[in-house]
């Protein structure tokens, strides 16, 4: 894998190679020279901040961006007052876009104090032409913009940015923009810097083919592409060697993994292969689309020692009429019988979900249907969202958009049921002792550690930070709403 590459031995007098990832290694070597020169010139180590919005997929992409920035010589920081700041954006709901514009306003003021500061934007929001127009007009100081399909080209684009001498505040500023509409390429083996040493996300597929009528993701992430099982297994083996014990397999709809490969493989089969990898103790995945969740998967989960007792199964709506308008391709009854089947086979499983309130045409009686499902399923947690109109999606041009006050009323009513049922459901484990992976020192109280149960519930307990990354048995003393306070059992 890439760790063995000595970037300084790459001959930069030659033309860059055509093949990937060799081409990007070449540009990493080139950027190292720029960063070195700027470091010498400024007299301090150059810092870079990667700021992430959105889902786990974006978080994983940010680890790749961080790995590249580190390999070219930047020191990573969380402080946005850095020499280089990159925003990895999300556009699933409009408030995600608004947050990015707010942050850019702040950067503008930082940049006035430090004219050498460089700014880049990437991710889902950049795939929208109207966003690019707005940035060109109102945020002209941005140095580099790229999208979701060419993230692997980050070293090459950085080299271009350095070469064009942007950011000097001397009138020579040029904004570099490289957005692709689509790609069928998956580039493997680029540097990556994990946020946690003991756990990691792994992309198993990219894009989405489902076109739920409210959702922008298929437009900004492109068509579904699965990585080969060999590449995925090799990556996980390397992670296990490097001390990773918990992995999260990532895709917009992991249940359709492998369907379009030359030699089709099911997601359940992939899981069985991953299960065999020594050193990996916990396997998670997200997200599962209810329409594709197979009996084979339920059996593999049931028999597995390593697959966590948690399933995120987005409902979106409990009304069959709305589900049909959403193009979800299941009914209320099908969803409920799927949950029943899963619970029968794996009784201790925690089920969580996503719900949208205010989809066009939704009536209070549809919200009642959703509440009915929440009561029947008894979710451990549900993420509830107010419908956000995304230009270009079929739902955006539906005429029966719902009045804001009606949406708010439905949302509040639903949220209360979600909270009441989840609180009761999560508390069912009180008095038990279960394994938790120790993730970090508690942010509020440094005498406590924070761990995660197999079913994804959080538990806080006294302990030493040397335990971080270990799996320990924890007595679940008291449930406080959505988390536990406990004690390590020896
Ligand atoms: N692929 C995943 C979801 C990815 S987006 C799945 O199908 O389950 C995460 C969540 O954002 C969705 O489950 C949905 O609940 C919510 N969401 C997507 N588009 C939205 C919109 N236009 N308005 C409000 N919420 C939305
Ligand atoms: Fe969006 Fe639906 Fe694809 Fe999920 S499955 S990303 S909600 S289109
Ligand atoms: Fe957002 Fe893109 Fe994920 S739109 S939710 S970051 S796939």
């Amino acid at each position: 894998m890439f760790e063995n590459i000595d970037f300084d031995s790459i001959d930069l007098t030659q033309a860059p190679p055509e093949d990937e990832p060799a081409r990007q290694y070449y540009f990493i070597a080139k950027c190292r020279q720029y960063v070195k020169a700027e470091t010498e010139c400024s007299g301090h180590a150059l810092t870079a901040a990667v700021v992430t919005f959105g889902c786990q997929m974006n978080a994983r992409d940010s680890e790749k961006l961080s790995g590249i920035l580190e390999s070219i010589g930047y020191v990573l920081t969380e402080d946005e007052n850095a020499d280089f700041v990159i925003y990895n954006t999300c556009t699933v709901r409009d408030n995600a876009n608004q947050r990015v514009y707010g942050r850019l306003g702040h950067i503008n003021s930082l940049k006035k104090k430090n004219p050498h500061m460089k700014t880049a934007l990437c991710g889902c929001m950049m795939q929208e032409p109207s966003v690019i127009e707005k940035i060109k007009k109102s945020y002209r100081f941005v140095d580099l913009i790229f999208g979701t399909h060419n993230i692997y080209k980050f070293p090459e684009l950085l080299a271009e940015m350095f070469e064009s001498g942007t950011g000097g505040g001397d009138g020579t500023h040029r904004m570099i923009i490289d957005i692709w509409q689509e790609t069928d390429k998956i580039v493997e083996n680029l540097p990556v810097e994990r946020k946690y040493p003991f756990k990691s996300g792994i992309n198993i597929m990219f894009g989405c083919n489902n076109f739920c009528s409210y959702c922008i993701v298929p437009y900004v992430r492109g068509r579904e592409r699965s990585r080969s099982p060999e590449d995925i297994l090799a990556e996980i083996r390397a992670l296990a060697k490097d001390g990773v014990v918990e992995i999260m397999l990532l895709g917009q709809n992991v249940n359709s993994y492998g369907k379009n490969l030359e030699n089709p493989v099911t997601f359940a089969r992939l899981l069985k292969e991953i299960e065999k990898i020594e050193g990996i103790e916990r396997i998670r995945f997200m997200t599962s689309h209810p329409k594709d969740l197979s009996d084979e998967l339920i059996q593999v989960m049931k028999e597995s020692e390593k697959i966590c007792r948690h399933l995120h199964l987005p409902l979106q709506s409990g009304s069959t009429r709305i589900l049909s308008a959403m193009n979800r391709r299941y009914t209320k009854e099908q969803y409920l019988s799927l949950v029943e089947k899963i619970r029968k086979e794996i009784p201790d499983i925690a089920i969580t979900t996503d719900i949208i309130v205010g989809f066009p045409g939704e009536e209070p009686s549809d919200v009642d249907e959703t509440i009915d499902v929440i009561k029947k399923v008894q979710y451990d947690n549900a993420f509830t969202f107010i419908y956000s109109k995304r230009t270009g999606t079929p739902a955006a041009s539906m005429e029966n958009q719902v009045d804001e006050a009606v949406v708010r009323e439905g949302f509040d009513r639903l949220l209360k049921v979600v909270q009441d049922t989840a609180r009761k459901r999560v508390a069912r484990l009180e008095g038990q002792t279960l394994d938790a992976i120790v993730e970090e020192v508690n942010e509020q109280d440094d005498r406590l550690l924070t761990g995660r149960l197999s079913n994804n519930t959080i538990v806080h307990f006294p302990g030493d930070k040397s335990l971080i990354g270990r799996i320990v048995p924890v007595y679940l003393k008291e449930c406080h709403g959505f988390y536990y306070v406990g004690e390590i059992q020896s």
Side-chain angles (χ1 to χ4, degrees), residues 166-178:
T166 60
D170 55 2
T172 59
H173 183 264
R174 180 165 80 91
M175 191 188 280
I176 295 163
I177 304 177
D178 191 8

Side-chain angles (χ1 to χ4, degrees), residues 187-375:
V187 177
E188 300 283 349
N189 294 338
L190 284 168
V192 21
E193 174 62 25
R194 290 196 310 277
K195 193 169 167 200
Y196 297 95
F198 56 89
K199 68 170 186 176
S200 179
I202 290 130
N203 300 104
I204 61 166
M205 57 201 300
F206 302 93
C208 182
N209 283 355
N210 287 314
F211 290 94
C212 301
S213 64
Y214 50 81
C215 185
I216 192 91
V217 171
Y219 305 89
V220 295
R221 285 272 173 177
R223 290 298 62 71
E224 203 172 280
R225 305 172 301 285
S226 294
R227 285 176 73 196
S228 77
E230 296 75 33
D231 284 337
I232 296 168
L233 293 168
E235 183 176 351
I236 299 174
R237 280 189 204 107
L239 288 167
K241 270 209 189 101
D242 203 25
V244 167
V245 291
E246 178 173 308
I247 53 165
M248 164 83 92
L249 308 173
L250 299 171
Q252 292 299 351
N253 176 13
V254 291
N255 296 328
S256 65
Y257 169 79
K259 286 190 179 149
N260 302 326
L261 285 170
E262 211 172 309
N263 300 310
V265 198
T266 63
F267 179 54
R269 279 221 54 121
L270 177 73
L271 280 171
K272 273 182 118 161
E273 291 303 312
I274 294 173
E275 174 108 20
K276 294 181 195 152
I277 299 176
E278 217 173 299
I280 296 298
E281 298 189 41
R282 282 184 167 189
I283 304 169
R284 300 183 182 279
F285 52 83
M286 75 186 306
T287 301
S288 285
H289 195 304
K291 79 175 164 63
D292 299 313
L293 201 146
S294 66
D295 291 351
E296 186 195 10
L297 176 63
I298 299 174
Q299 280 314 309
V300 169
M301 286 183 81
K302 181 182 173 178
E303 286 156 19
S304 168
E305 299 275 314
K306 297 183 177 178
I307 301 173
C308 288
R309 288 331 195 206
H310 173 219
L311 190 64
H312 187 62
L313 196 62
L315 168 70
Q316 312 303 0
S317 169
S319 153
T320 296
R321 190 176 69 86
I322 297 295
L323 283 169
S324 162
M326 285 176 161
N327 192 30
R328 289 290 289 180
R329 286 173 277 174
Y330 51 85
T331 62
K332 176 186 180 184
E333 289 69 31
Q334 283 168 333
Y335 186 95
L336 285 172
S337 58
L338 178 62
V339 168
E340 201 178 317
K341 192 156 65 177
I342 295 165
R343 283 258 168 78
K344 189 164 154 255
E345 297 295 328
I346 317 167
D348 56 343
I349 201 161
I351 301 180
T352 57
T353 201
D354 292 345
I355 293 167
I356 298 176
V357 183
F359 183 84
E362 187 179 67
E363 310 258 345
S365 61
D366 296 306
V367 177
D368 293 340
E369 297 275 340
T370 306
I371 289 177
D372 185 44
V373 176
I374 296 169
K375 286 185 175 162

